[in-house]
């Protein structure tokens, strides 16, 4: 673990200040952690504007046969990965590339910084990154909580968006409700609980046809190359295997969910 990695810094911050959440000084307690469970993410999404017919579903594996079981089309992907030495080493190497401009996404995307005051809220941020950068696919209605937040923060910096999210009650209340949803299979960690050893990241297909990674603890959105609606899921599997699983090939702490069209026109 590198103390310079923002993800490590956030975990260290929670470890040191978990019994005195600094988010309270900014309008409320830290956000509760979301379990990597489609039902939990769907409960959150349904309350902030995800239209009927689109749902998060489990991706049971990254080989072709299991990818074929995922309904189509897929708008976005969310990966849960373990925070290990190998992962931190891979993040450090990637950051050196980003620092000189290699892999930096060029399109204008809705990217927000994960600040330490969130606590264990990386699941919420991963979900928001997936949804807010798929509005061109989902066709959310005007007035939805997420659409309102995106519009209000359209001219803000990633840091300003992260700070604004801290006190965005229209998003926090449904997120916390989803965290304790009856479908959750594990006990929801306390707001002042120990740092979790996993982290969420989102992958989206941009209006310009690029495959982009969004992680609020990284320097910027990351462009992994061209994609298309037909190839998005297989492209995602390739990136996850190459950029994440390869760093810890002997671990089983990875989980993947897809935001898929499960009803209506275009559902596979």
């Amino acid at each position: 673990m590198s103390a310079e990695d923002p993800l490590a810094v956030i975990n260290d911050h929670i470890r040191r200040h978990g019994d005195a959440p600094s988010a309270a000084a900014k309008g409320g307690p830290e956000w509760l952690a979301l379990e990597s469970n489609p039902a939990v993410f769907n409960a959150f999404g349904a309350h902030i504007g995800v239209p009927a017919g689109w749902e998060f579903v489990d991706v049971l594996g990254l080989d072709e046969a299991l990818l074929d079981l995922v309904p189509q089309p897929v708008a976005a992907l969310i990966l849960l990965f373990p925070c290990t030495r190998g992962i931190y080493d891979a993040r450090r190497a990637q950051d050196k590339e980003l620092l000189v401009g290699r892999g930096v996404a060029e399109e204008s995307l809705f990217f927000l910084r994960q600040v330490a005051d969130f606590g264990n809220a990386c699941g919420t941020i991963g979900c928001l990154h997936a949804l807010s950068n798929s509005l061109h696919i989902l066709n959310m209605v005007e007035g939805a909580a997420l659409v309102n937040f995106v519009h209000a923060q359209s001219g803000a910096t990633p840091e300003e968006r992260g700070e604004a999210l801290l006190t965005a009650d229209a998003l926090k209340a449904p997120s916390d409700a989803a965290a304790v949803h009856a479908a959750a299979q594990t006990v929801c960690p306390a707001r002042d609980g120990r740092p979790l050893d996993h982290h969420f990241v989102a992958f989206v297909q941009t209006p310009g046809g690029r495959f982009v990674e969004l992680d609020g603890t990284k320097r910027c959105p990351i462009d992994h190359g061209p994609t298309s609606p037909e190839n998005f899921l297989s492209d995602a599997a390739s990136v996850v295997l190459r950029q994440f699983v390869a760093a810890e090939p002997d671990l089983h702490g990875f989980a993947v969910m897809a935001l898929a069209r499960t009803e209506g026109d275009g559902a596979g």
Side-chain angles (χ1 to χ4, degrees):
M1 177 184 296
S2 168
E4 296 179 355
D5 188 314
L7 178 55
V9 171
I10 286 172
N11 274 338
D12 290 342
H13 174 89
I14 299 171
R15 185 177 295 108
R16 292 194 306 269
H17 303 292
D19 58 347
S22 53
K26 300 188 178 184
E30 293 176 347
W31 295 42
L32 296 174
L34 294 186
E35 177 184 286
S36 181
N37 180 330
V40 171
F41 276 67
N42 288 331
F44 178 42
H47 282 90
I48 64 173
V50 175
W54 286 94
E55 296 180 319
F56 287 100
V57 299
D58 279 321
V59 178
L60 301 179
L62 298 177
D63 59 88
E64 185 176 353
L66 293 174
L67 293 179
D68 284 343
L69 299 177
V70 179
Q72 291 286 348
V74 171
L77 207 78
I78 292 181
L79 167 69
L80 178 73
F81 63 87
C83 300
T84 65
R85 183 182 299 276
I87 290 291
Y88 279 112
D89 287 345
R91 286 168 62 93
R92 188 181 304 110
Q94 183 184 61
D95 191 63
K96 291 179 180 178
E97 296 293 303
L98 297 173
L99 192 59
V100 296
R102 286 193 287 268
V104 175
E106 296 182 355
E107 283 185 67
S108 177
L109 299 165
F110 192 81
F111 179 63
L112 62 85
R113 189 75 61 208
Q114 180 174 340
V115 297
D117 298 323
F118 278 114
N120 293 318
C122 59
T124 300
I125 293 172
C127 186
L128 293 177
H129 272 147
L131 297 176
S132 62
N133 290 285
S134 299
L135 297 182
H136 59 294
I137 300 173
L138 301 178
N139 296 317
M140 285 190 189
V141 299
E142 291 297 322
L146 179 58
V147 174
N148 288 344
F149 183 78
V150 170
H151 287 174
Q153 298 299 318
S154 61
T157 66
E159 291 74 18
E160 291 169 340
R161 291 169 181 165
E163 293 290 340
L165 184 59
L166 280 174
T167 54
D169 291 339
L171 298 176
K172 184 178 186 304
S175 176
D176 281 354
V180 295
H181 191 275
Q185 298 174 4
T186 57
V187 176
C188 179
R191 298 181 194 275
D192 58 353
R194 65 175 179 80
L196 301 183
D197 57 356
H198 287 72
H199 184 65
F200 288 92
V201 60
F203 301 96
V204 302
Q205 47 189 314
T206 72
R210 307 297 296 181
F211 183 89
V212 173
E213 171 188 344
L214 297 118
D215 181 340
T217 66
K218 287 189 175 180
R219 184 177 299 277
C220 59
I222 301 163
D223 188 326
H224 289 286
T227 192
S228 65
E230 298 76 19
N231 296 326
F232 175 75
L233 188 58
S234 60
D235 291 339
S238 296
V239 170
V240 169
L241 288 169
R242 185 175 66 251
Q243 299 287 337
F244 293 87
V245 177
E248 289 291 359
D250 298 324
L251 289 185
H252 300 284
F254 299 89
V256 181
M257 293 183 290
L259 176 62
R261 180 74 171 170
T262 56
E263 297 178 8
D265 293 341

